[in-house]
Amino acid sequence: MTEILQTAPPSAASAAPTTAPPAPAPGALTRRPGRWIDGWDPEDTAQWEREGRRVARRNLNWSIFAEFLGFVVWQLWSIVAVALPAAGFQLTTSEIFWLISIPSLVGATLRIPYSFLVPIFGGRNWTIVSAGLLLVPAVMLAVTVSNPDTPFWVLLLAAALAGFGGGNFASSMSNITFFYPQREKGWALGLNAAGGNLGAAVAQFTVPVVITIGAGATLNLPVAGWIWVPFILLAMFGAWRYMDNLANAKADLSGSAAALKEPHLWLLALLYIGTFGSFIGFASVFPKLIADQFPEFSTIGVLGATVSLAFLGALVGSLARPYGGRLSDRFGGARITMIAFAAMAVITLAVLATLPLGSFWVFLGLFLLLFATAGVGNGSTYRMVPIVFAMRSAHGAGDVSTQRKAAAALGLISAIGAYGGFLIPQALNLSFQATGGYAAAFTGFVAGYLVLLAVTWAVYVRPRHLREQKI
């Protein structure tokens, strides 16, 4: 790809004819130092086919890798916290739940400012910085868990810093939004989101293995942090070497302000807490539930035994998410979301009913179904957002102001939904403190899913004009 250079006009005194430089192709891109690109317009079909698609795909690949590592770091404490008692740490059940849930609280909060940092610093530049910030929680985890005498508040601080990984989702999605045309945004953002979500499963699969390899009678917990450092450095190098900054990526504060005034923003955020919040919340706490209910099937419960199967929940939920979008395209996002909440309520009731049986495989099977339905609900709820905002606009989906408001709403809803990762572990914590078990929390989850089902039906399915639009 050649840069467009400004050339001085030929001297009037020159007697020899000169050849004029070739005119730049319409819609051609220009580059500046620091890998800044001017003139980016993915809606320009000629530019997109000539060079835009290749540039966008390269940026998407490295964005997925960096966001994947963000989810890895975000979920490290879901395994490490459960392992701490076996490594000699004296912690209460409540303290363990706080270590599990605090990364989600911080990550959800960081998603809000992270949404606006790409236009300020540039997508490439912020990806380098945000990936580099992952070194802080990874190294701090390795240092703090190496000594069983580490105070709880220091462990809590280290776990809170893992929230940097949760914030990466918002900036990564914001960056990729600028690279792709409207007709391909769903595909690109779906890949970006799914690649990130898989980081939760990889963390929960890898950590139980590496902390027991060659550990003997103890757990080698610091490895859970050190192992990711080379990959984080690779993500930083890849972003520096291969990603780009777009000069026309602008912060949309007015779009966010307009979206905040829209009542449907808050309704859809509530639904997303029920779907994505359930996914990330149960993903965080699943290793703890397995260790408590069935210690014989937990790597943490029996040192050096089988690999924990907790990663399967996050894996199934991540893989199910794209199908929620696909089903929504055919049947409507509201219908699929309503069905997802109904299924989640029924499955959670089945978990409650079968807990007394003490069957690990029944418990695992039901939870994998719960993760799958939550994943489908993630995709269907997310798909509803731009359609709802388009229908609320007098100008339709193609209007620029409508698209800006919908894009801002997606970022805000993803941030609010992530608070479910804090609420679900804390609900289980309160249930355990009050009753010595988790049945009360699961009963509350069933009630919550039924309420969300009713809201979805009443607001988005029951009205005839919305039903006909397959909203």
Side-chain angles (χ1 to χ4, degrees), residues 228-459:
W228 306 108
V229 170
F231 296 100
I232 295 171
L233 294 175
L234 176 60
M236 295 174 66
F237 171 78
W240 172 79
R241 180 67 179 84
Y242 297 107
M243 293 186 72
D244 301 287
N245 301 306
L246 300 181
N248 63 345
K250 303 297 182 183
D252 192 10
L253 296 177
S254 61
S256 298
L260 286 170
K261 298 176 183 177
E262 174 59 61
H264 285 278
L265 169 80
W266 303 102
L267 284 173
L268 291 167
L270 184 65
L271 300 185
Y272 203 57
I273 289 176
T275 55
F276 178 77
S278 292
F279 163 75
I280 198 64
F282 282 127
S284 299
V285 83
F286 199 33
K288 171 68 172 168
L289 292 178
I290 291 178
D292 286 353
Q293 301 295 319
F294 309 97
E296 66 275 16
F297 285 93
S298 171
T299 302
I300 308 309
V302 181
L303 300 182
T306 60
V307 174
S308 172
L309 297 176
F311 80 97
L312 290 174
L315 177 64
V316 168
S318 300
L319 295 178
R321 179 169 182 152
Y323 291 97
R326 180 174 294 182
L327 289 170
S328 298
D329 288 338
R330 182 171 181 181
F331 301 106
R335 288 190 181 93
I336 300 302
T337 299
M338 188 177 69
I339 293 171
F341 281 131
M344 291 165 73
V346 171
I347 295 166
T348 306
L349 277 174
V351 171
L352 267 173
T354 57
L355 271 178
L357 299 178
S359 172
F360 171 77
W361 298 110
V362 171
F363 178 85
L364 178 64
L366 288 173
F367 253 97
L368 293 184
L369 288 175
L370 184 59
F371 275 106
T373 52
V376 168
N378 291 346
S380 61
T381 307
Y382 215 65
R383 186 261 192 190
M384 289 171 63
V385 177
I387 298 177
V388 169
F389 276 79
M391 294 193 66
R392 294 283 293 176
S393 170
H395 306 288
D399 179 60
V400 174
S401 64
T402 301
Q403 293 176 2
R404 291 170 57 199
K405 190 188 294 186
L410 284 170
L412 292 167
I413 288 169
S414 75
I416 297 170
Y419 281 108
F422 174 78
L423 296 175
I424 283 184
Q426 285 302 316
L428 291 164
N429 180 25
L430 291 174
S431 175
F432 186 85
Q433 300 304 317
T435 67
Y438 301 124
F442 284 117
T443 302
F445 298 150
V446 172
Y449 295 144
L450 292 176
V451 169
L452 293 174
L453 184 158
V455 170
T456 307
W457 176 80
V459 180

Side-chain angles (χ1 to χ4, degrees), residues 92-117:
T92 66
T93 297
S94 178
E95 289 173 334
I96 293 174
F97 271 115
W98 271 101
L99 293 176
I100 290 171
S101 60
I102 197 68
S104 290
L105 178 64
V106 175
T109 305
L110 286 178
R111 284 187 174 192
I112 298 172
Y114 268 47
S115 299
F116 302 103
L117 293 177

Side-chain angles (χ1 to χ4, degrees), residues 123-196:
R124 165 189 178 260
N125 296 345
W126 182 248
T127 301
I128 297 171
V129 173
S130 60
L133 287 173
L134 299 179
L135 291 170
V136 178
V139 172
M140 192 164 181
L141 181 151
V143 173
T144 56
V145 301
S146 62
N147 182 4
D149 295 326
T150 302
F152 172 69
W153 71 267
V154 176
L155 294 173
L156 192 64
L157 175 61
L161 291 174
F164 282 140
N168 281 11
F169 178 86
S171 57
S172 180
M173 296 290 274
S174 172
N175 184 39
I176 295 306
T177 296
F178 293 115
F179 274 96
Y180 277 82
Q182 196 67 30
R183 63 187 179 276
E184 295 189 29
K185 269 185 172 58
W187 172 82
L189 293 176
L191 284 178
N192 203 46

